[in-house]
Amino acid sequence: MNNSPASSDVSALLPEVAQLMVTALNLETSPEGIQPDAPLYGGDLGLDSIDILEVALAVSKKYGFQLRADDEDNAAIYASLRSLTQHIAAHRTT
């Protein structure tokens, strides 16, 4: 059986994760302004490695699991808002 989250779960969670990012990083954009499939790192948002660490901290506080800096899947996890949200939906404890 596939343990990936249902697309409806991810769709429902996307605005929440976008808001979390805007709040955690004090972004000068609205959560709706973050394109679900646009690159997070080095994309239009201009996020750098420090920003990604801030997002990881905010995610761990809100959703109850750790995003580790040494995770070999980080490039895929942080590829876009959608990929980050899919990871959160699959691993969240809260």
Side-chain angles (χ1 to χ4, degrees):
M1 175 160 169
N2 186 345
N3 71 352
S4 65
S7 61
S8 60
D9 294 343
V10 172
S11 295
L13 198 56
L14 273 169
E16 186 176 303
V17 176
Q19 179 63 59
L20 179 73
M21 288 180 57
V22 168
T23 302
L25 302 176
N26 296 313
L27 297 178
E28 293 182 9
T29 187
S30 67
E32 299 80 18
I34 301 174
Q35 297 301 313
D37 298 307
L40 292 181
Y41 188 79
D44 289 344
L45 292 175
L47 302 187
D48 61 21
S49 58
I50 300 300
D51 295 323
I52 296 298
L53 289 173
E54 289 289 331
V55 169
L57 181 61
V59 165
S60 69
K61 285 181 178 177
K62 182 165 181 78
Y63 297 109
F65 74 98
Q66 293 287 343
L67 286 165
R68 298 178 49 89
D70 61 354
D71 190 321
E72 63 188 24
D73 295 326
N74 278 345
I77 293 168
Y78 294 107
S80 67
L81 174 61
R82 186 179 314 278
S83 62
L84 176 60
T85 303
Q86 288 169 333
H87 188 77
I88 291 168
H91 295 90
R92 68 190 286 184
T93 60
T94 59

